[in-house]
Amino acid sequence: MTLSGGRTAGGDKHRGPVVMRRGQVDTGMTDQHLLDSRGPHDWVHTDPWRVLRIQAEFVEGFGALADLGSAVAVFGSARTPETDPHFALAEETGRKLVEAGFAVITGGGPGAMEAANKGASEAGGVSVGLGIELPFETGLNPWVDRGINFRYFFVRKTMFVKYAQGFVVLPGGLGTLDELFEALTLVQTGKVTRFPLVLLGSDYWRGLLDWLRGTVVTEGKISPADLDLLQVVDDVDEAVATMVAARDERGAEGAGDPGPAGGPDGGSPGPP
């Protein structure tokens, strides 16, 4: 039997799907806290309220990117100056991806991200920036034509993986490595399929790959086949060709399968 306040005869209290017993039972009700204007206002910072804010970020991201079509994410260091050859490499990457029919997605920041957005925008393509709230960055770079600023890293990461059909990774630091290994783990575990990962700049990436091959594989922490998920190139045209080949493969498979595996462009699946 249910008593007032969502309590049962056995002493349990139900707050929606949550069950509280013994010392966890309180006497208040959710509606009461919502409607009572008296008392502290820190309820807007509690975890249940954050869930709504997280949900809102997902909704905003899905709404802004749902019509993006085929897209490739380009990652690289925010600390790359315009005088660095990697800046010109990122700009060329953005431009040539647009010429191949892709939208370009970056983290929206300065450095290599700005260069890729610049190349994409000047080529007349869709230049997307998915920014993140950080204490030491000042918002989206001026070459972002469609941008979203996120509070939560995990929401932002979801947008990268959902709406990009591949990653081109230029030399970068911890943020770049974070995105690279996040995507690599998702591919290795089968969470995403047919997702090319291209490392641009063999000199920069050689030390990391040598360590993975010589230590991590040797000690059995990963299998040799896991490294085959990464392609290392020095030529932008080769990186773009890899993305085009993957798109063509998805398109060929999707032509005979009208199900939820992808849209007409072979891109991301529809809403969950």
Side-chain angles (χ1 to χ4, degrees):
M1 180 176 66
T2 302
L3 306 177
S4 61
R7 300 186 66 177
T8 65
D12 299 351
K13 179 176 179 179
H14 295 265
R15 180 183 288 165
V18 178
V19 178
M20 294 175 289
R21 293 172 176 155
R22 292 176 286 276
Q24 295 299 306
V25 175
D26 60 26
T27 58
M29 293 178 291
T30 303
D31 286 345
Q32 180 187 49
H33 294 309
L34 176 63
L35 297 174
D36 192 348
S37 61
R38 298 166 297 176
H41 301 284
D42 59 352
W43 64 272
V44 297
H45 303 297
T46 59
D47 288 341
W49 182 257
R50 287 191 183 98
V51 170
L52 295 179
R53 193 159 62 184
I54 291 166
Q55 181 183 24
E57 286 209 345
F58 275 113
V59 171
E60 289 291 341
F62 293 154
L65 302 175
D67 64 344
L68 195 58
S70 295
V72 172
V74 180
F75 295 107
S77 175
R79 306 184 187 190
T80 302
E82 292 188 20
T83 55
D84 191 316
H86 294 148
F87 191 96
L89 196 67
E91 188 174 343
E92 180 186 1
T93 301
R95 183 180 74 253
K96 290 188 173 180
L97 283 169
V98 164
E99 291 170 351
F102 293 101
V104 171
I105 308 173
T106 78
M113 294 175 283
E114 180 174 353
N117 285 130
K118 181 175 185 285
S121 182
E122 290 188 333
V126 181
S127 175
V128 179
L130 305 183
I132 185 70
E133 185 179 59
L134 294 174
F136 46 80
E137 289 192 10
T138 56
L140 299 173
N141 70 67
W143 296 101
V144 170
D145 299 321
R146 187 186 303 189
I148 313 170
N149 266 313
F150 294 93
R151 288 185 177 94
Y152 301 100
F153 266 114
F154 59 89
V155 179
R156 180 181 184 239
K157 287 180 178 181
T158 300
M159 300 303 153
F160 276 124
V161 177
K162 179 171 175 58
Y163 292 106
Q165 282 82 61
F167 286 178
V168 176
V169 188
L170 285 95
L174 294 179
T176 302
L177 293 172
D178 177 51
E179 297 291 356
L180 168 61
F181 281 103
E182 175 93 9
L184 185 59
T185 301
L186 291 173
V187 175
Q188 183 221 37
T189 55
K191 296 294 185 180
V192 294
T193 58
R194 301 185 302 278
F195 195 91
L197 297 169
V198 176
L199 304 180
L200 190 53
S202 60
D203 286 345
Y204 186 85
W205 296 110
R206 183 174 295 113
L208 173 64
L209 294 172
D210 286 347
W211 174 74
L212 288 172
R213 189 176 296 108
T215 300
V216 185
V217 171
T218 298
E219 294 191 5
K221 303 299 188 293
I222 62 174
S223 68
D226 291 333
L227 293 184
D228 294 337
L229 301 174
L230 295 171
Q231 181 177 347
V232 186
V233 303
D234 289 303
D235 183 71
V236 172
D237 289 331
E238 190 174 353
V240 173
T242 299
M243 299 299 157
V244 170
R247 181 182 61 190
D248 292 345
E249 181 182 353
R250 285 192 302 270
E253 293 178 1
D257 180 11
D265 62 358
S268 301

